[in-house]
């Protein structure tokens, strides 16, 4: 079995698309079992339970988004070493990534468990939803180490050009998650805690699959000397990882503020926003995947000094984003009621979700292109720009929701998202043009 994939050679579109599609299947499966969770919770337990679980989405983005940013930043450094052919430094970076990730995860687990209740209060969580939100949150964040392990292992595999192993891992985990959902929720009647336990256990299975592939890689036969303290290596990794992590978390803060305003409008609005958020997470997958693919592709080619290949790769990624918008944005615009009805049961909540989905279907192209250019800038070794774009997203999202919520009601959430996407896209696109010319 091929243990790595050199993206610095061969036809650009063929290499990039060959790397992209297994990742797309991986991310689709990952979102699919999240989607199944949502459907089972919504239809099996009720809209209120769905609202309680969805109420944690922005808080989850704050915590797990930080971890994903850190591990993705680490993988960029590892991919640049692979592209440059520096396997000794690649092993050192991998070893130090493991150590740094373990330390960061331990701190985040403690913080998330201690601050869960105060943060839910800050978000104006309805008393009717508080108990279920706490139960789900304590279980989910208690298993944060499993989430971190998968993010790091899959990130290292992508850095080496392997997008097939994470797909196999998620394929197995998805089947396990659905079976566990049915057993714990319908069989044992465990409620939202059953959904949380199923998610953590399924993630654990995906970690085991990735670890087995990494264990058999000749490039990653780590020795004790690779773990020797090295401030230069730590700084290099953190210089890529921390800005990416801060970008995700700052974006999440803006989403938490929006979630707070939505919660303040009532549980029906919370349930509608939860369903809409699930659809956004699902429909942005092709562009998220294109971004992750470009992150590895650009990083490897940056390490090898192949700038023209980077330009061609980014054009291919933008094409993926556009086609995705035509298909999935079109579904959001023309079929919003049907989509909302798959998750929600109340006529009022379906009507609210319909309004959000139609507007965001039009502006989804901004989000799609944002992923393409932001990940390309990260791959070029310029992590501060994406971090600043995360700050800009927050700076745009919060005032829009504050100023428009009284006038537009629930529709203000869709406008807040769309304007934040456009502003962040503009910053990353301009930065990409400047850096690629340099």
């Amino acid at each position: 079995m091929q243990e790595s994939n050199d993206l610095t050679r061969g036809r650009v579109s063929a290499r990039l698309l060959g790397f992209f599609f297994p990742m797309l299947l991986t991310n689709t499966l990952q979102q699919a079992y999240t989607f199944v969770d949502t459907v089972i919770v919504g239809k099996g337990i009720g809209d209120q339970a769905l609202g309680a679980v969805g109420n944690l989405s922005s808080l989850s983005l704050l915590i797990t988004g930080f971890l994903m940013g850190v591990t993705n930043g680490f993988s960029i450094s590892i991919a640049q070493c692979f592209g440059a052919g520096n396997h000794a430094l690649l092993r050192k970076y991998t070893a130090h990534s493991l150590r740094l990730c373990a330390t960061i995860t331990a701190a985040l687990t403690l913080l998330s468990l201690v601050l869960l209740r105060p943060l839910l209060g800050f978000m104006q969580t309805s008393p009717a939803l508080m108990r279920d939100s706490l139960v789900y949150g304590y279980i989910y964040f208690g298993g944060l180490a499993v989430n971190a392990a998968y993010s790091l292992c899959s990130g290292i595999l992508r850095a080496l050009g392997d997008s097939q192993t994470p797909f196999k891992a998620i394929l197995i985990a998805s089947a396990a998650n659905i079976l566990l959902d049915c057993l714990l929720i319908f069989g044992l009647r465990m409620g939202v805690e059953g959904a949380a336990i199923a998610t953590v256990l399924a993630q654990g299975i995906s970690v085991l699959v990735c670890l087995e592939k990494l264990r058999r890689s000749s490039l990653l036969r780590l020795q004790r000397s690779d773990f020797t303290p090295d401030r230069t290596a730590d700084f290099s990794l953190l210089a890529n990882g921390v800005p990416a992590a801060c970008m995700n978390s700052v974006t999440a803060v803006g989403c938490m503020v929006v979630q707070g305003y939505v919660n303040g409008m009532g549980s029906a609005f919370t349930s509608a926003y939860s369903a809409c958020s699930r659809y956004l997470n699902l429909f942005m997958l092709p562009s998220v995947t294109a971004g992750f693919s470009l992150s590895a592709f650009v990083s490897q080619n940056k390490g090898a000094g192949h700038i023209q290949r980077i330009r061609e790769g980014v054009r291919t990624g933008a094409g993926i984003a556009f086609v995705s918008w035509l298909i999935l944005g079109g579904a959001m615009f023309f079929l919003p009621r049907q989509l909302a009805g798959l998750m929600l049961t109340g006529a009022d909540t379906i009507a609210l979700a319909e309004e959000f989905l139609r507007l965001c279907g039009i502006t989804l192209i901004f989000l799609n292109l944002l992923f393409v250019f932001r990940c390309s800038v990260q791959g070029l070794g310029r992590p501060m720009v994406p971090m600043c774009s995360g700050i800009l997203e927050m700076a745009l999202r919060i005032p829009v929701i504050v100023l428009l919520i009284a006038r537009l009601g629930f529709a203000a959430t869709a406008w807040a998202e769309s304007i934040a996407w456009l502003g962040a896209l503009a910053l990353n696109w301009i930065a990409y043009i400047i850096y690629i010319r340099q």
Side-chain angles (χ1 to χ4, degrees), residues 129 262 265-274 344 348-350 352 410:
L129 305 180
V262 171
M265 299 171 72
S267 59
F269 292 85
T270 302
S271 298
Y273 190 61
S274 174
L344 301 165
D348 291 340
T349 53
I350 289 175
L352 291 170
F410 188 70

Side-chain angles (χ1 to χ4, degrees), residues 55-219:
N55 187 47
L56 286 164
S57 59
S58 57
L59 183 54
S60 176
L61 177 60
L62 176 67
I63 305 299
T64 62
F66 189 92
L67 280 174
M68 288 180 64
V70 166
T71 55
N72 187 53
F74 292 172
S75 70
I76 287 173
S77 298
I78 293 170
Q80 289 175 350
C81 292
F82 180 75
N86 191 341
H87 295 165
L89 187 59
L90 184 152
R91 288 190 294 272
K92 179 180 284 290
Y93 277 175
T94 301
H96 284 250
S97 294
L98 293 170
R99 185 169 55 79
L100 289 170
C101 188
T103 302
I104 293 170
T105 302
L108 285 178
T109 300
L110 179 61
L111 283 173
S112 61
L113 294 177
V114 170
L115 297 178
L116 179 60
R117 183 181 289 274
L119 287 172
L120 288 174
F122 168 77
M123 293 161 56
Q124 301 185 60
T125 300
S126 167
L129 305 180
M130 180 62 81
R131 185 264 174 193
D132 282 347
S133 291
L134 284 171
V135 168
Y136 190 94
Y138 283 134
I139 297 171
Y140 182 81
F141 292 123
L144 199 59
V146 179
N147 187 294
Y150 175 74
S151 294
L152 182 60
C153 291
S154 61
I156 293 172
L157 288 166
R158 287 197 306 269
L160 301 180
D162 181 359
S163 57
Q164 295 184 4
T165 300
F167 166 64
K168 294 175 184 176
I170 292 299
L171 179 63
I172 297 170
S174 298
N177 191 82
I178 294 171
L179 291 174
L180 288 168
D181 269 338
C182 293
L183 172 64
L184 298 178
I185 294 177
F186 292 117
L188 300 180
R189 302 290 180 182
M190 292 183 67
V192 294
E193 55 263 51
I197 293 171
T199 297
V200 173
L201 291 177
Q203 286 178 337
I205 294 172
S206 65
V207 172
L208 294 176
V209 176
C210 291
L211 280 176
E212 175 59 23
K213 180 58 185 292
L214 291 172
R215 186 186 66 82
R216 291 187 285 111
S217 172
S218 61
L219 289 174

Side-chain angles (χ1 to χ4, degrees), residues 31 34-35 37-39 41 50 53-57 136 272-284 343 357:
Q31 284 298 323
T34 301
F35 185 85
D37 270 342
T38 304
V39 172
V41 170
L50 173 62
V53 174
N55 187 47
L56 286 164
S57 59
Y136 190 94
Y273 190 61
S274 174
C276 291
S277 297
R278 296 297 191 194
Y279 274 116
L280 277 182
N281 290 338
L282 184 63
F283 285 179
M284 70 186 186
M343 290 192 196
L357 292 171

Side-chain angles (χ1 to χ4, degrees), residues 420-433:
W421 299 339
L422 179 58
L425 167 61
L427 178 59
N428 283 281
W429 177 72
I430 292 170
Y432 169 76
I433 295 298

